[in-house]
C-alpha cells in the first residue's frame, strides 16, 4: 500500500513538473533547484529527481554531469527543425486519418471543433488551460483515424515540443492572426475528406505559428535561455 502511494506521488510529481516545463512556468535554459521543486510540489527530492530523469528521456530536461539538471533551452534553429518535422509527420498522419476515417471519427472531430470554437484563444493566463486542452483535442481528432501508431507517437512528441514555443509566444506578444478561421477551414476540409486541401491548410497553420514565434524570439532573445544567433 505504501509502495503504491509512493508511486502515485511520483507520477503526480512527474505530471505537474512536465506541465510546468511545457507551459514554460519553468523557463527554458534555467537550472533546476531540486529543493525548491520538492517544496513546490510537496514531494520528496527522490520523486522530483525521478520525474526529471523521465523528462530527460523526452528531451525536455538536460542532465549535466556534476551540475544537476537544466530545463532544455529553445532556439531558432531548433524551432525551424521542429517545424519542418511537424509538417512532414503531421500532414502524413492527417492523410492516413482521412483515408481511414469513419462515422466515429467524424463525431469526435465535430465535437472537438465545437468545443474549441466556443473558447477564445487566451493571450495571458486566463482560461489558458481550457483553451490549450481543447486545442490539443482538436488536433488529435484530426489525425485520430490514422492507423499507424508509430507516426502518431512521433507526431505527439513533436506537438508537445511545440507547446513550449507556443507558451513563450503568449509571453512575448499577442498573435496577429485569425486562428479561429484557420481551425474552421481545416475542420471543413477534413470533414469533406479533401486530403490535399486539408494537408495544405495544416502546413500553412504550422508555418504561421512558427513564423510568429520566430519573430517573437528575435525581438526577445533572452526568452530562449540561450543566444538565438543561428544559421
Amino acid at each position: 500500500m505504501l509502495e503504491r502511494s509512493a508511486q502515485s506521488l511520483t507520477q503526480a510529481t512527474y505530471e505537474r513538473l512536465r506541465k510546468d516545463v511545457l507551459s514554460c512556468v519553468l523557463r527554458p535554459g534555467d537550472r533546476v533547484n531540486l529543493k525548491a521543486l520538492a517544496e513546490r510540489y510537496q514531494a520528496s527530492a527522490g520523486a522530483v529527481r525521478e520525474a526529471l530523469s523521465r523528462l530527460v528521456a523526452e528531451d525536455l530536461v538536460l542532465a549535466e554531469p556534476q551540475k544537476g539538471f537544466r530545463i532544455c533551452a529553445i532556439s531558432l534553429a531548433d524551432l525551424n527543425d521542429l517545424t519542418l518535422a511537424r509538417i512532414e509527420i503531421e500532414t502524413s498522419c492527417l492523410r492516413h486519418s482521412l483515408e481511414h476515417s469513419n462515422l466515429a471519427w467524424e463525431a469526435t472531430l465535430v465535437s472537438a471543433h465545437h468545443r474549441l470554437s466556443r473558447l477564445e484563444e487566451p493571450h495571458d493566463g486566463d482560461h489558458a488551460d481550457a483553451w490549450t486542452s481543447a486545442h490539443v483535442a482538436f488536433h488529435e481528432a484530426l489525425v485520430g483515424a490514422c492507423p499507424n501508431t508509430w507516426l502518431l507517437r512521433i507526431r505527439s512528441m513533436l506537438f508537445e515540443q511545440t507547446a513550449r514555443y507556443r507558451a513563450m509566444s503568449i509571453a512575448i506578444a499577442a498573435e496577429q492572426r485569425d486562428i479561429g478561421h484557420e481551425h474552421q477551414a481545416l475542420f471543413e476540409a477534413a470533414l469533406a475528406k479533401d486530403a490535399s486541401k486539408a494537408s495544405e491548410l495544416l502546413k500553412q497553420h504550422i508555418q504561421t505559428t512558427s513564423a510568429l514565434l520566430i519573430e517573437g524570439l528575435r525581438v526577445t532573445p533572452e526568452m530562449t535561455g540561450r543566444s538565438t544567433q543561428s544559421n
Side-chain angles (χ1 to χ4, degrees):
M1 193 63 152
L2 288 175
E3 182 179 351
R4 184 178 303 175
S5 178
Q7 290 176 345
S8 297
L9 179 59
T10 298
Q11 180 63 24
T13 302
Y14 161 75
E15 291 173 358
R16 289 186 62 188
L17 179 57
R18 190 172 190 276
K19 179 181 177 182
D20 284 349
V21 171
L22 290 175
S23 63
C24 292
V25 170
L26 297 175
R27 290 166 57 94
D30 279 2
R31 191 174 301 283
V32 171
N33 184 320
L34 205 64
K35 182 179 179 181
L37 287 185
E39 293 177 354
R40 178 189 183 94
Y41 303 131
Q42 296 183 321
S44 67
V48 173
R49 190 177 290 105
E50 182 174 335
L52 287 166
S53 296
R54 290 174 65 179
L55 293 179
V56 169
E58 297 178 33
D59 292 325
L60 292 172
V61 170
L62 179 67
E64 299 179 315
Q66 311 302 320
K67 295 182 180 179
F69 297 94
R70 182 187 296 275
I71 308 302
C72 285
I74 61 178
S75 69
L76 294 181
D78 180 60
L79 178 55
N80 282 323
D81 288 346
L82 182 57
T83 299
L84 291 175
R86 275 197 67 199
I87 289 172
E88 289 287 338
I89 297 298
E90 198 146 353
T91 55
S92 179
C93 287
L94 179 58
R95 286 180 176 276
H96 284 297
S97 183
L98 296 183
E99 183 180 349
H100 293 85
S101 60
N102 53 28
L103 186 60
W105 170 84
E106 288 186 10
T108 301
L109 179 62
V110 169
S111 175
H113 178 260
H114 177 71
R115 179 187 171 201
L116 180 61
S117 67
R118 301 287 289 182
L119 296 169
E120 182 179 354
E121 185 187 15
H123 295 302
D124 52 34
D126 295 340
H127 313 299
D129 286 347
W131 189 90
T132 297
S133 176
H135 183 246
V136 169
F138 172 69
H139 279 276
E140 288 182 343
L142 285 170
V143 302
C146 174
N148 191 313
T149 56
W150 275 105
L151 280 176
L152 289 174
R153 192 178 302 177
I154 296 169
R155 178 220 159 256
S156 179
M157 179 188 71
L158 295 172
F159 191 92
E160 289 182 341
Q161 286 286 344
T162 307
R164 295 206 301 154
Y165 288 95
R166 181 167 188 82
M168 297 300 289
S169 77
I170 295 174
I172 293 168
E175 294 178 354
Q176 300 301 311
R177 68 195 294 193
D178 187 348
I179 197 168
H181 176 74
E182 292 177 31
H183 286 143
Q184 179 67 35
L186 185 52
F187 165 70
E188 292 175 358
L191 206 59
K193 313 292 176 63
D194 190 336
S196 295
K197 183 177 181 179
S199 296
E200 181 59 29
L201 287 170
L202 181 57
K203 176 182 176 180
Q204 293 173 8
H205 183 65
I206 294 171
Q207 287 176 329
T208 299
T209 298
S210 179
L212 288 167
L213 298 183
I214 287 171
E215 182 60 29
L217 292 175
R218 282 176 175 157
V219 171
T220 318
E222 66 272 14
M223 297 293 280
T224 63
R226 289 182 182 175
S227 171
T228 58
Q229 296 300 317
S230 60
N231 296 324

